[in-house]
Amino acid sequence: MDEVEVVVAHSERATLRVGDVFLKVDADQARLDVEVEAMALVPVPTPEVLWRKPPVLAIAAVPGTALGRLGEPSTASPAAWAATGAAIRKLHDAPLPPWPSRGKGLDALTADLDAECEQLVTNGVLPADLVTRNRRVAETALRPWTPRFTHGDLQITHVFVDGDEVTGIIDWSEAGGGDALFDLATLTLGHEDRLGDVVAGYGTDVDLDLDVIRAWWSLRSLLVIRWLVEHGFDPFAPGCEVDVLRSRM
């Protein structure tokens, strides 16, 4: 019997690994529904679904290693990052999925950001000048966008590569119609030096506003810091969300 590894666990969901099988337990069945449907639709490599018995989804491990980890230098080659950009472009060019977006609209997103910034300052989580500066930077991302088929949570640990090839993209529970630049920003959060490689693979035939991507770095970080702290994660670790905000100063 292989050991059981707890990959992530908090009050909303948990992921366990047993050998080459991942077991995802989620209190929100809609998230698992989206994950299964998205993996069946997207034109990029995804894990194989082995079985599903709510609230558990079993998927096979994908070959290769994660593109990197937040807070650590990525050892993946520039070609691997470019290949990731090309895979994301295929996703964004795919037809929109049939389900409503799980993301929030512009007005709700703006309201959430304002409320979160107030809480971060009022509760003494972050200095006021750091929050104010990054709220100003984040403003650039708060504009209308044309919805694309997006992953919705394209963290660097969700992309697996073998050499210079993408072998699998995991964790599709937030997939839906969204801002393509949010995916690119989430992938490169804390790895700004790799943005050029990703853009090279994505393609220069489309207008990618790099200022909007940088704005999403601030916006995403401001929105998730309190949640991360409350769920046992450390956004203050070197290279993580708080350092991303400090780099905007």
Side-chain angles (χ1 to χ4, degrees), residues 89-112:
R89 176 64 183 276
K90 289 181 181 179
L91 171 65
H92 292 168
D93 285 346
L96 287 171
W99 58 86
S101 171
R102 292 178 62 83
K104 295 187 176 182
L106 185 56
D107 290 343
L109 185 62
T110 303
D112 281 356

Side-chain angles (χ1 to χ4, degrees), residues 117 120-121 124-133 236 242 246 249:
C117 288
L120 288 170
V121 174
V125 179
L126 293 176
D129 60 339
L130 184 64
V131 173
T132 300
R133 167 58 180 162
F236 291 87
V242 175
R246 288 172 178 152
M249 298 296 286

Side-chain angles (χ1 to χ4, degrees), residues 3-7 15-18:
E3 290 186 355
V4 175
E5 175 191 354
V6 179
V7 179
T15 301
L16 310 176
R17 179 170 187 169
V18 185

